Amino acid sequence: MKLFVATDFRTVKCRGRFYLASQYFYIIKRYREQFGSVVLCSRYIECDETEGLFNIDDLLDGFIGVKELSEFLTFPVKKKIEDEVRKCDMVVGRYPSFAASVSASVADRLGKTMYAEVMADPWDAYWNHSLKGKIIAPLMFLITKKNVKGADYALYVTEEFLQRRYPTRGKNVGVSDVMIDRMAEERLNEKLENLQENVRELTLMTTAAVDVAFKGQQYVIKAIPILNRFGIRVKYCMVGGGNPERLKKIADKYGISEQVKFLGVQTLDKVIDYLDQTDIYVQPSLQEGLPRALVEAMSRGCVCLGACTGGIPELLPEECIFARKSAKAIARSIIKVANKKSMFNLAKQNYEKAKKYEDAVLSEKRNAFYNQVKKELGFKGV
């Protein structure tokens, strides 16, 4: 069986070979193992450095790449997509995505089976990105809504949010793309034993790129002076790539630069180490599907707070959800949970919730859906 996979994640091209970051590598590997043959359509960048990346040449039977999203709308690229889709049995569109939207249109015209994977909300993704994004957001919202509704099969990373906003007539399942290994309960117990009765010093953490405003770290930074006035001293650690100058300027403006730490890109093992030293993990995003970083923090026994965005409210109790774009709301949430009883109960609750997202649990559910798709399409196996 041959898949045509259309997505907007960036592939790296280095000396004629193609690479992906680990999260995306395992997605393509999973398609290959389940369905046998994969043609990838995505953006790409050329780079001389591949440290931390995985080569995908052996996983692909074809590649259509563009450097700019607008190229997906040009005749030469559309023609390449059509030629490959004609030879494929099923088109997999990962939304939000220009590539998926164009490919879905071709698949519909050619009568090909369409499989939609809804990873995030296109409206939030584009509206909170830039001025140009605000122009594109309504169009991408409507196109995605139409494509997902008409898909033969759909997989959502949320349990409710994306299903409500982008319903489908096709057969569907809710399975997160989070991959969490089995967790050690001893680590949770250690963390709980070290809780102080009156919490006046806290370590906060967010894992996300630091050079895009829709990740929301600026609102946590702006909450720090409010916490200082209430006698709660925090250190805010940010893990993630990108240029931190924008956020550094905000910290400088509020006079709290010494309380803000930029840790850059880290390995997963190192991220886990940082989480084990974190009291409260904050996810202030303005757009999300179901954030892997938040589930990882929950699995390490962190108290977690998150904005009312995407699938975040599916993960956390109501008292841990704050209004988007509000430093005051973030500060109020931290003040409310900064006591031993609350932190003890929330840490245990998060740990238990995260068990639902262990890789073995999700893989079983996802594979059952894949098997249903293959059976209905008459596919016997790789």
Side-chain angles (χ1 to χ4, degrees):
M1 185 173 180
K2 192 171 187 178
L3 295 191
F4 183 88
V5 179
T7 178
D8 280 0
F9 60 58
R10 284 189 178 90
T11 305
V12 173
K13 184 178 181 181
C14 181
R15 293 182 284 278
R17 306 190 74 188
F18 293 99
Y19 299 82
L20 285 172
S22 61
Q23 180 182 0
Y24 302 127
F25 168 82
Y26 287 111
I27 290 169
I28 298 301
K29 185 173 183 285
R30 188 163 64 218
Y31 291 144
R32 178 80 181 199
E33 291 172 347
Q34 288 287 333
F35 297 98
S37 179
V38 176
V39 174
L40 177 62
C41 176
S42 77
R43 289 182 293 174
Y44 77 95
I45 57 172
E46 297 197 57
C47 183
D48 294 327
E49 179 57 61
T50 60
E51 184 177 357
L53 302 177
F54 295 78
N55 180 257
I56 58 171
D57 289 354
D58 291 341
L59 301 179
L60 299 182
D61 295 286
F63 178 74
I64 296 174
V66 302
K67 290 188 175 180
E68 300 293 335
L69 289 178
S70 58
E71 293 180 59
F72 284 123
L73 303 178
T74 64
F75 176 78
V77 174
K78 282 186 173 182
K79 182 65 168 58
K80 289 180 182 178
I81 290 173
E82 181 171 332
D83 290 345
E84 287 294 344
V85 168
R86 283 185 186 277
K87 296 181 285 186
C88 290
D89 300 292
M90 186 167 74
V91 173
V92 177
R94 292 175 54 83
Y95 297 93
S97 166
F98 270 85
S101 299
V102 172
S103 301
S105 178
V106 174
D108 183 57
R109 180 160 47 82
L110 297 178
K112 295 290 184 176
T113 300
M114 188 67 204
Y115 180 108
E117 293 202 348
V118 191
M119 320 308 295
D121 180 2
W123 178 272
D124 282 345
Y126 289 101
W127 184 265
N128 293 297
H129 187 275
S130 62
L131 179 59
K132 186 185 292 185
K134 286 179 170 56
I135 298 170
I136 296 172
L139 178 63
M140 291 303 295
F141 171 79
L142 293 173
I143 290 174
T144 302
K145 203 173 184 70
K146 174 179 179 293
N147 290 344
V148 175
K149 185 175 183 179
D152 300 283
Y153 303 96
L155 182 148
Y156 299 86
V157 299
T158 58
E159 295 178 2
E160 298 178 8
F161 172 73
L162 292 170
Q163 286 89 327
R164 287 196 305 268
R165 187 161 285 194
Y166 302 95
T168 183
R169 290 193 295 256
K171 295 178 180 177
N172 62 92
V173 68
V175 185
S176 171
D177 60 345
V178 171
M179 292 186 295
I180 300 294
D181 292 329
R182 180 165 290 279
M183 301 162 285
E185 195 159 356
E186 307 82 62
R187 179 57 206 135
L188 172 68
N189 293 332
E190 289 175 15
K191 204 159 196 171
L192 296 178
E193 287 172 4
N194 291 328
L195 287 175
Q196 301 297 312
E197 197 67 46
N198 294 308
V199 182
R200 285 295 174 262
E201 293 187 1
L202 291 167
T203 297
L204 313 180
M205 179 172 160
T206 299
T207 301
V210 297
D211 57 348
V212 283
F214 63 77
K215 289 301 182 181
Q217 297 98 325
Q218 62 270 30
Y219 304 109
V220 183
I221 293 173
K222 292 176 183 179
I224 293 175
I226 301 173
L227 294 169
N228 287 343
R229 291 197 293 273
F230 277 84
I232 298 177
R233 186 79 175 178
V234 302
K235 178 175 71 173
Y236 181 36
C237 299
M238 283 168 274
V239 173
N243 188 334
E245 285 306 312
R246 176 183 61 91
L247 295 177
K248 284 184 176 180
K249 288 179 181 178
I250 295 172
D252 289 341
K253 177 182 176 181
Y254 284 85
I256 44 87
S257 297
E258 76 282 359
Q259 292 176 258
V260 174
K261 308 295 179 185
F262 296 94
L263 304 174
V265 178
Q266 300 289 336
T267 65
L268 178 57
D269 287 344
K270 195 64 179 174
V271 170
I272 295 300
D273 287 342
Y274 283 123
L275 287 172
D276 287 345
Q277 300 168 44
T278 295
D279 299 300
I280 300 177
Y281 181 88
V282 188
Q283 193 79 42
S285 313
L286 307 184
Q287 78 91 4
E288 285 290 355
L290 193 121
R292 169 180 175 158
L294 178 55
V295 180
E296 285 175 346
M298 293 167 64
S299 77
R300 305 308 295 184
C302 294
V303 175
C304 296
L305 306 174
C308 189
T309 300
I312 294 175
E314 295 179 14
L315 294 172
L316 301 177
E318 186 176 352
E319 64 266 30
C320 294
I321 301 296
F322 53 78
R324 306 196 313 175
K325 300 183 179 182
S326 174
K328 289 182 180 179
I330 293 171
R332 282 197 298 269
S333 294
I334 292 171
I335 292 167
K336 183 165 59 177
V337 303
N339 62 82
K340 184 174 183 177
K341 181 179 178 180
S342 291
M343 295 185 73
F344 183 93
N345 291 334
L346 290 171
K348 290 191 70 173
Q349 188 173 334
N350 287 342
Y351 178 83
E352 291 302 319
K353 180 83 171 182
K355 288 181 179 179
K356 289 178 55 180
Y357 298 92
E358 288 179 356
D359 190 37
V361 176
L362 296 180
S363 291
E364 182 178 357
K365 189 175 181 181
R366 187 187 300 110
N367 289 343
F369 189 64
Y370 285 158
N371 289 336
Q372 179 185 359
V373 173
K374 289 186 287 187
K375 182 179 179 180
E376 293 180 0
L377 296 180
F379 180 55
K380 303 300 183 182
V382 178

